[in-house]
Amino acid sequence: MERISEAAVRERETERALLSGAFSEYVSEPDRLAAVWAAKHRELRRVSLLMDTSGWDAYEPEQDIQGSEWGRERDERRQGVLSAHAAQLARRQEERDELRTELWLSAGSGRLIRAAADRAGLSPAEVLAQLAERVVVGEDGTVSVPPFSPSR
């Protein structure tokens, strides 16, 4: 009962603060905070009513079918959000590892790359990408590419 009263007070306080714009700079999402307290207040009232109608002295989560279902749904949503976040972080890391550049070659080097690309049926950019994938850096810092034939 005490937790319900506290949640009711918090719900009223956050709603009032939201309406008046009186949140401190430490609250980044005041409308979310108000919604959280309102939801907590509703849930505590629901649990209290369930305990009264079921004659429980203490809350028994395993007997609360609706609460257990909501808990599973919350866990599934949380896991989905965490999975999506992990995938987004992996994509960002992959993007950071990529190198996109504009390359200006001398006329002679450009002709050689275009000729190799034409023979392989590739674009010059695809030949350069294959070339870059085969780069070998020696212990002394020298850069070389072993001979290869560009291919699809």
Side-chain angles (χ1 to χ4, degrees), residues 81-93:
V81 167
L82 291 174
S83 296
H85 183 66
Q88 182 184 26
L89 289 178
R91 281 192 303 276
R92 282 185 184 166
Q93 182 60 45

Side-chain angles (χ1 to χ4, degrees), residues 9-100:
V9 168
R10 296 280 186 189
E11 180 183 11
R12 281 191 304 274
E13 287 174 349
T14 55
E15 187 63 31
R16 236 182 274 128
L18 183 62
L19 293 173
S20 69
F23 274 102
S24 73
E25 68 274 8
Y26 301 112
V27 178
S28 61
E29 298 180 59
D31 51 342
R32 178 162 163 59
L33 181 62
V36 166
W37 275 111
K40 283 183 180 189
H41 185 205
R42 278 191 308 275
E43 177 62 4
L44 288 169
R45 284 190 317 223
R46 184 194 70 80
V47 168
S48 177
L49 181 62
L50 176 65
M51 288 175 61
D52 289 345
T53 58
S54 301
W56 299 344
D57 290 330
Y59 178 63
E60 299 176 26
E62 61 280 349
Q63 298 296 320
D64 183 356
I65 296 167
Q66 187 174 23
S68 296
E69 177 63 25
W70 287 346
R72 277 191 294 282
E73 290 171 2
R74 246 188 336 271
D75 289 344
E76 288 171 7
R77 281 193 309 275
R78 183 180 311 117
Q79 189 56 47
V81 167
L82 291 174
S83 296
H85 183 66
Q88 182 184 26
L89 289 178
R91 281 192 303 276
R92 282 185 184 166
Q93 182 60 45
E94 192 171 308
E95 288 171 0
R96 276 195 292 267
D97 291 344
E98 289 179 356
L99 175 63
R100 295 174 188 259

Side-chain angles (χ1 to χ4, degrees), residues 101-127:
T101 186
E102 188 172 315
L103 180 65
W104 293 87
L105 298 174
S106 67
S109 297
R111 279 192 295 277
L112 290 172
I113 294 293
R114 276 194 293 283
D118 287 341
R119 280 193 303 275
L122 300 169
S123 71
E126 290 170 316
V127 172

